[in-house]
Amino acid sequence: MMSDQRKKLHPHKFTLWIGLGSIIMMFAGLTSAYIVKRNQGNWLEFFIPVEFYYSTAVILASSLTVHMALKAFKDREIPKYRRLITLTAVLGVTFMLLQWVGFLELYDKGIKLEGNVSGSFLFVITGLHMVHVLGGVVALLVMFFRAHRKSKRVYSSVGIEVMSTYWHFVDILWIYLFVFFLWIQ
């Protein structure tokens, strides 16, 4: 029988789930406002840059590598964990770079934050997602440096579990936004 302590949700995980709920509500509100505003007319149609397709594949791959990194950590396969967390961090940075290039392409085509409201919505919504991805990349880099430090290690999986959950969340959020912009655009 599990002790009462094992049944409790770790405070870091609880805080993460509260934060994720808030982020979901924010993006639900923003995408709802996008739909309402789009139906009011004066909406500029535009194509999603090809870099957003590539970045989608990259973030999906990073979700797989972070999942494998968590499994390797729990199995105490530390060299494998180090490689996978490093690869996940590289993929996270690559996602951000591809998104940046996509934004530059949109800007070059006249889709700007201060222009038509459709461009403003696109930049605000995807920009806010990028801020959340940046938070995930910072967490990945923290995990990377912890994995490669020489001092005594603590083998608690809570940190990697929280970071992994958050990373999967920003992945799912991007897929939602990507599909949303493809279908609603």
Side-chain angles (χ1 to χ4, degrees):
M1 182 171 220
M2 289 177 59
S3 70
D4 287 339
Q5 185 63 24
R6 290 285 292 161
K7 293 179 185 176
K8 292 182 180 177
L9 183 62
H10 191 281
H12 295 316
K13 292 179 182 181
F14 177 76
T15 303
L16 173 69
W17 285 108
I18 295 296
L20 296 182
S22 299
I23 295 167
I24 288 168
M25 289 173 28
M26 177 182 64
F27 280 97
L30 287 168
T31 53
S32 296
Y34 183 99
I35 292 168
V36 169
K37 197 67 175 165
R38 182 180 187 278
N39 291 328
Q40 292 178 353
N42 192 26
W43 199 258
L44 182 63
E45 299 288 329
F46 53 87
F47 291 101
I48 301 298
V50 69
E51 291 83 7
F52 284 11
Y53 290 88
Y54 296 143
S55 68
T56 301
V58 167
I59 203 165
L60 284 171
S62 73
S63 249
L64 177 64
T65 59
V66 79
H67 173 75
M68 292 168 37
L70 175 60
K71 183 180 178 331
F73 185 89
K74 286 182 174 182
D75 293 343
R76 298 203 180 212
E77 297 173 351
I78 301 307
K80 183 177 180 181
Y81 165 70
R82 286 181 182 141
R83 286 190 305 273
L84 289 165
I85 205 68
T86 301
L87 180 56
T88 305
V90 167
L91 290 169
V93 170
T94 302
F95 173 83
M96 292 181 62
L97 291 172
L98 286 167
Q99 291 279 295
W100 182 257
V101 172
F103 282 129
L104 291 175
E105 183 179 326
L106 286 169
Y107 190 84
D108 288 344
K109 290 182 177 179
I111 310 298
K112 300 177 183 177
L113 182 62
E114 70 278 353
N116 185 285
V117 70
S118 57
S120 299
F121 265 103
L122 177 71
F123 274 84
V124 167
I125 293 171
T126 54
L128 281 171
H129 179 260
M130 288 296 294
V131 169
H132 290 91
V133 170
L134 178 60
V137 167
V138 168
L140 281 168
L141 292 174
V142 167
M143 292 292 121
F144 168 82
F145 287 117
R146 283 185 182 172
H148 288 74
R149 71 179 173 206
K150 300 292 182 203
S151 64
K152 184 178 177 183
R153 292 176 184 84
V154 177
Y155 286 101
S156 169
S157 64
V158 171
I160 183 73
E161 288 173 2
V162 168
M163 190 277 308
S164 176
T165 300
Y166 182 78
W167 193 253
H168 288 307
F169 172 77
V170 295
D171 180 357
I172 292 166
L173 180 58
W174 172 250
I175 299 304
Y176 163 72
L177 293 173
F178 184 67
V179 169
F180 175 83
F181 286 123
L182 285 175
W183 280 348
I184 301 300
Q185 173 40 327

